Structures are given as structure tokens and as C-alpha cells.
Amino acid sequence: MSESPPLSVEGITVRFAGIVALDNVSFEVEPGSIHAVIGPNGAGKSTCFNVLTGVYRASAGTVRLGDVRLTGLRPHQITRLGLGRTFQNIALSPRQSVLENLMLARHLLTRAGFVSTGLRLPNATREARRHRARVCEIAEFVGIAPLLDVPAGLLSYGDQKRVELSRALCLEPKVLLLDEPVAGLNAEESRTMAQEILDVRAGLGISVLIVEHNMGLVMGIADRITVLDFGRCISHGSPAEVQRDPAVIRAYLGTGRGEDAAAAAQLGAPHGEAAQ
Ligand SMILES: Nc1ncnc2c1ncn2[C@@H]1O[C@H](COP(=O)(O)OP(=O)(O)O)[C@@H](O)[C@H]1O
Ligand SMILES: [Mg+2]
């Protein structure tokens, strides 16, 4: 098991017409760690994710995976260099089987490419067989092997999220990026997902970067947390340190949104403070 390189985010600034969505944000995802980026609605979490994966361009700053500079590269190049991601809204192909959905991810890694695969050249067939074996291994690891032949659209929401996780793993990432992995899941499904994320780290040795609104999940599994508010990094540390930081609770209570207040309550905001 090779250790993943550190993912370094240095001084990232993103401007949209009139607003600064990220303002000089820096943090490092240490090898083999689970790192969470949290913050109230509109804090810049998704923007941060989109910069890391090459969907948005930063106005300033650098993202590096080990010694390799990712800033300015295109999303598929970044994926190939080792950043595998899931999407906040499930983006599986509903009529295709789970296996086909996972094989699509493998195509990104395929040297033979679509043409020779279509012609069934011997090399391509061998390569396809190898990819299929690896996909089955990953499905086994995540516990969705019995679902491989089922059309993705027929699965429960929780199982679809697990297929999404498997699909990201099929990209053989060095760092796995998860965008709200438990959004929309019930309590039991959330616990299963939390365990799977821990298993991924323990079993595959890859680092995990999570953007998440669910404080229970984040506090339960993250090693380090970066807290954003209005595009700025307002706190950074272990779950215990962040949970104690009054600036973090203030940020969540300040938005006036129910879900942010609920997050503050999970952080341990004194009773009644949410009403102020
Ligand atoms: N494509 C975009 N164009 C203009 N403004 C954007 C765009 N994406 C995000 N923003 C703005 O950037 C800020 C941060 O948004 P976002 O990263 O989605 O926050 P979060 O994911 O933490 O809720 C918000 O003010 C949002 O309206
Ligand atoms: Mg978001």
C-alpha cells in the first residue's frame, strides 16, 4: 500500500462578478488523513471543490498533489493525476447496470481507448477483462458486488451513493474527494457511509477530502477540519478544537438558516443562542 502524496492548497482566491467566493484559502490534506471542509451555506465549500477538480479557475493561488501542480489543468487531467471525486447530486446513468456505470469510470484510465475496444482487438479485450476484474474487486470492497447487474436507477438512494463512492474508487485516486456524501441519507445509511469512508482510508491508504454539512459525520470521522465562512478560512484544527471555537458557532448561527442553526446545535452551541 503506497502512501498518497499531500494535497496542498495555497492562497486560493476565486472571484465571481462582484463577490469573492474564496479569499486566500490555504490548507493541506495530509497523507492518509480524512480532512473535512465545512462552513455555513454560501461559505465557498463547493467553489473550493470545483477549484481542486479543475472545474473553476482560481484568480490566484496554487493546488499541488505532492510535487505536481494541478492549478490550470483540465478536470480529466486532474482525475488521471489522482484526484477522484463524487458529485453532490448523483450522476449515475440510471438505465445502465452498476457494472456498466463503474466500467465507464475505468474508460478514463483505459489506454486502448474506445475505438479498439469497439473493434474487440485482442489487446483491448485483455485490458477490458483486467478492468472488469478490478471493478469487481472494488465492488466487493464497498459491499455492492451483489448489485453489479442491477440498473443503477432501480437502486435505493443509499445504494446509489455507495455506487458513486465505488465509481470514484474505480478512478484509482490518491486523494478521494467526496461532496456531501451523506446528504439525503437516513441515519442508518449515514452510519454505513461513514464506516465505508473509514474503510477506504484504512484498506486502501488513500486520503479523503470531504465537503459536508452533517456535523455528526464530520466530527465522527475527520482528523482535521478547515472551516470556511464568506470565503475565508476562519478556523482549522482537530474536531475537538474546531468544536470549541466560538467563531465557528457564531458563523453557523449568523446565517439565519435552519440547517445552519441545526449544525450549530450539533457543534454544541448553548441552548437558546440560535434564537438570538
Ligand atoms: N458559478 C458561480 N457564479 C457566481 N457566483 C457563484 C458561483 N458559484 C458560487 N457562487 C457564489 O459563491 C459563494 C460561495 O458559494 P458556494 O461555494 O456554492 O458555497 P457553499 O458550497 O459553501 O454553500 C456564494 O455567494 C455563491 O452565490
Ligand atoms: Mg455547496
Side-chain angles (χ1 to χ4, degrees):
M1 195 167 72
S2 64
E3 201 169 64
S4 53
L7 176 68
S8 316
V9 176
E10 290 161 25
I12 290 289
T13 296
V14 177
R15 293 193 189 87
F16 295 116
I19 61 154
V20 183
L22 287 179
D23 188 358
N24 197 20
V25 168
S26 302
F27 59 89
E28 179 159 310
V29 180
E30 288 170 19
S33 70
I34 297 180
H35 193 117
V37 173
I38 66 169
N41 248 288
K45 304 182 294 296
S46 296
T47 302
C48 180
F49 216 83
N50 284 324
V51 168
L52 294 175
T53 52
V55 177
Y56 290 170
R57 292 224 163 186
S59 331
T62 315
V63 180
R64 273 196 199 85
L65 183 61
D67 296 331
V68 182
R69 199 183 145 102
L70 303 183
T71 334
L73 299 183
R74 299 170 66 84
H76 71 273
Q77 294 173 310
I78 292 176
T79 303
R80 284 200 183 140
L81 286 168
L83 251 62
R85 71 169 296 184
T86 62
F87 293 84
Q88 183 173 347
N89 299 311
I90 283 175
L92 296 173
S93 179
R95 294 208 181 145
Q96 293 192 290
S97 70
V98 170
L99 177 65
E100 286 164 334
N101 269 280
L102 298 183
M103 286 298 280
L104 274 178
R106 296 303 288 193
H107 270 300
L108 260 180
L109 305 172
T110 306
R111 266 172 298 132
F114 286 94
V115 176
S116 54
T117 311
L119 295 174
R120 298 218 168 269
L121 300 178
N123 257 349
T125 321
R126 240 192 330 272
E127 186 151 340
R129 223 180 292 129
R130 239 191 28 243
H131 281 297
R132 197 189 159 102
R134 180 65 178 146
V135 163
C136 292
E137 204 169 69
I138 289 167
E140 197 74 51
F141 181 79
V142 180
I144 56 157
L147 305 176
L148 279 172
D149 294 329
V150 181
L154 297 183
L155 299 177
S156 71
Y157 191 72
D159 282 340
Q160 289 191 31
K161 286 285 222 190
R162 293 161 74 210
V163 175
E164 270 259 293
L165 174 68
S166 310
R167 189 172 59 170
L169 291 177
C170 284
L171 300 167
E172 307 290 353
K174 294 172 179 154
V175 180
L176 176 66
L177 274 64
L178 302 175
D179 196 0
E180 304 219 10
V182 300
L185 298 187
N186 65 33
E188 196 193 325
E189 290 169 334
S190 299
R191 270 195 300 277
T192 307
M193 180 60 79
Q195 190 54 53
E196 266 152 20
I197 296 168
L198 289 168
D199 289 349
V200 163
R201 191 259 299 269
L204 307 177
I206 58 187
S207 337
V208 183
L209 179 68
I210 307 180
V211 169
E212 183 55 64
H213 217 81
N214 181 309
M215 289 303 137
L217 176 88
V218 166
M219 296 301 162
I221 69 172
D223 300 306
R224 309 291 292 172
I225 300 176
T226 298
V227 190
L228 300 179
D229 188 32
F230 292 113
R232 294 215 175 97
C233 181
I234 59 160
S235 187
H236 183 82
S238 67
E241 286 163 346
V242 162
Q243 225 161 347
R244 270 200 306 270
D245 189 341
V248 176
I249 295 172
R250 266 201 310 276
Y252 274 95
L253 294 178
T255 69
R257 290 176 69 119
E259 55 179 351
D260 287 331
Q266 281 183 305
L267 280 168
H271 220 59
E273 208 173 306
Q276 285 175 13

